[in-house]
């Protein structure tokens, strides 16, 4: 009759077994009809109860359910296979093995159910007393449950307090009934036939000894087999023979995992490699993934910088994205390698977890186990051909994307921005800030001033598209027209002539050609030009030496290139 184990703990250790047993027997059997025997007094004179002696048995048959044992009787006995399995679930005996057994009971057909004896069993009170005094470990069989603990057969009836049984919950207590145990006698009262045994201390001593033996034999690199005892967020604890080792989450699989429960379950039996042993601290680090080949080694042997690979985005960080290109092999795409043209602030703006991408291998660091990948490299660099697509003088149109104190950025194509410096907005006035002329989102026309693929800079200008004095002169004048202008520079036979504000022409003078008209001096350029038209000019001596800087001369327009703003003159 099972009881609540929490109520059966330490308060029973000092209770007389005789009192408990008498209470149990009086409530479960009728009172004896005959008078008590005269020998029923206390002490050695009392009639001894029969014990369950040990027998030497030999395994003569093994089936899926039971093991047949020849123990010297007329017929064989049997032991359930489950009672003879080791910690790893393997049958611990084979045909021909011999060991001590004891009779548990007989079935309806007369076959004995046996149990394996795990130690010496006292046969009389002298043996119990000797075991008590020498603190020997003896074998016993749990026969039942009583208030506060268990009845145990040690050659005589004994009491095992629940607190010293080594089990806690009711289910474990029920399973203990019928089992062979190893225990130590902690109390003997021959007069009262009061025997108390302790199983927990024996279990603790054996576990400690097993732990010491295991630690002593463990070496780094050794392969061990163990059972998963418990799981945690950071790994699993593995029982490898009386001692627990830690299997860290990072050593469970070559692929990155976030929950040990996705790979392991409590009770799983696994083979592992010992990674580190601290015998003084009793700490053992184990590895499961180390039992298989590192896929990184095989992967890097086949990869070279420039190769293209495909994989799945497994996680995103502030600085990049990790891509698994094959099980257990990850590469990292740095945020700077995601786009040629866009300024990427967060990897999630470009990639999503679970997305399959194609990338280019940039760097392989075998020693550090790092694989650098690039996303933008598979798309092609638009800056490579920027000069061919945007030559100097080309007029482009685009939207203003952002403003800075020094200028405005204009998107000329997706991902390509050109910059208009604050000094290149207009010829009409000096501006302090781009907002004086443009605003974000406004569409503007500009001229390409320069393109640099190395620095990834495209320089634009708006004022270069404004109509100048040269443009107005080109509209009003024509080839063959007679014009007057001031000589502003004489270099060899080349004379540079100012035809108006911001308008210049070049006259190539030959030595034999007649000189231009007589000089007119005084007043502004406009006044001198007007006077020349009204009064005319007088012939002068021929020769380049007749041209003086600052003089007003008459010329004829020979050629005019409005686009290039070039005017060629001849002496009039």
């Amino acid at each position: 009759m099972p009881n609540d184990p929490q109520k059966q703990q330490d308060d029973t250790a000092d209770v007389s077994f005789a009192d408990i047993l008498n209470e149990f027997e009086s409530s479960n059997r009728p009172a004896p009809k005959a008078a008590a025997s005269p020998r029923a007094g206390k002490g050695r004179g009392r009639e001894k109860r029969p014990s369950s002696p040990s027998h030497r048995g030999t395994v003569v048959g093994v089936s899926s359910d039971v093991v047949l044992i020849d123990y010297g009787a007329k017929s064989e006995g049997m032991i359930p296979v489950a009672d003879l399995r080791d910690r790893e679930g393997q049958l611990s005996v084979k045909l021909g093995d011999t060991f001590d057994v004891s009779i548990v009971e007989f079935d309806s057909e007369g076959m004995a159910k046996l149990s394996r004896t795990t130690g010496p069993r006292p046969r009389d009170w002298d043996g119990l007393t000797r075991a008590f005094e020498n603190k020997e470990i003896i074998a016993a069989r749990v026969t039942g449950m009583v208030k506060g603990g268990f009845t145990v057969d040690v050659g005589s009836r004994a009491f095992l307090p629940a607190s010293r049984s080594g089990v806690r919950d009711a289910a474990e207590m029920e399973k203990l009934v019928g089992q062979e145990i190893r225990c130590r006698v902690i109390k003997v009262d021959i007069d009262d036939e009061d025997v108390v045994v302790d199983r927990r201390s024996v279990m603790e001593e054996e576990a400690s000894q097993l732990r010491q033996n295991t630690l002593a034999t463990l070496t780094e690199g050794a392969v061990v087999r163990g059972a998963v005892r418990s799981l945690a967020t950071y790994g699993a604890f593995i029982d490898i023979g009386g001692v627990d080792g830690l299997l860290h989450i990072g050593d469970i699989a070559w692929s990155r995992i976030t929950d040990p429960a996705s790979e392991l379950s409590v009770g799983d039996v696994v083979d592992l490699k010992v990674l580190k042993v601290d015998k003084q601290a009793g700490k053992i680090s184990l590895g499961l993934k180390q039992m298989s080949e590192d896929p990184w080694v095989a992967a890097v042997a086949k990869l070279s910088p420039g190769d293209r690979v495909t994989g799945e985005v497994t996680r995103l960080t502030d600085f990049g994205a990790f891509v698994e290109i094959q099980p257990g092999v990850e590469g990292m795409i740095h945020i700077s390698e995601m786009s040629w043209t866009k300024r990427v602030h967060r990897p999630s703006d470009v990639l999503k977890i679970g997305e399959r991408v194609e990338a280019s291998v940039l760097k392989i660091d075998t020693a550090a186990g790092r694989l650098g990948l690039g996303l933008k490299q598979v798309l092609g660099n638009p800056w490579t051909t920027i000069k061919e697509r945007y030559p100097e003088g080309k007029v482009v149109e685009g939207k203003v994307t952002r403003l800075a104190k020094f200028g405005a950025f204009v998107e000329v194509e997706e991902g390509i921005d050109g910059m208009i410096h604050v000094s290149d907005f207009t010829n009409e006035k000096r501006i302090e800030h781009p907002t004086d002329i443009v605003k974000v989102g406004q569409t503007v026309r500009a001229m390409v001033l320069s393109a640099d693929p190395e620095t990834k800079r495209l320089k634009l200008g708006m004022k270069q598209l404004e109509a100048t004095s040269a443009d107005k002169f080109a509209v009003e004048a024509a080839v063959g027209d007679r014009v007057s202008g001031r000589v502003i520079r004489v270099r060899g036979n080349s004379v540079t002539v100012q035809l108006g504000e911001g308008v210049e022409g070049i006259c190539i003078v030959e030595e034999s050609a007649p000189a231009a008209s007589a000089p007119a001096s005084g007043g502004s350029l406009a006044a001198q030009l007007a006077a020349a038209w009204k009064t005319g000019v007088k012939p002068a001596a021929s020769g380049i030496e007749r041209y003086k800087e600052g003089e007003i001369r008459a010329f004829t327009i020979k050629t005019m290139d409005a686009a290039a703003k070039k005017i060629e003159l001849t002496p009039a």
Side-chain angles (χ1 to χ4, degrees), residues 9-10 19 60 169 207 210 240 286 301 311 341 414 486 567 572:
Q9 299 295 321
D10 299 332
D19 294 339
V60 295
D169 57 56
L210 181 59
I240 56 173
L286 304 172
T341 56
E414 185 178 2
R486 175 187 289 169
I567 302 173

Side-chain angles (χ1 to χ4, degrees), residues 100-133:
D100 291 334
V101 296
S102 60
I103 301 172
V104 177
E105 61 183 2
F106 291 90
D107 62 14
S108 59
E109 298 178 356
M111 177 173 279
K113 181 180 179 181
L114 309 175
S115 65
R116 185 172 185 173
T117 303
T118 56
R121 189 192 302 274
R123 297 180 180 273
D124 51 31
W125 286 103
D126 290 337
L128 284 172
T129 302
R130 184 168 55 254
F132 169 67
E133 292 173 348

Side-chain angles (χ1 to χ4, degrees), residues 47 101 193 343 356 373 545:
E47 182 180 356
V101 296
E193 291 189 356
R343 185 183 295 272
R356 292 197 64 83
L373 304 176
E545 68 277 0

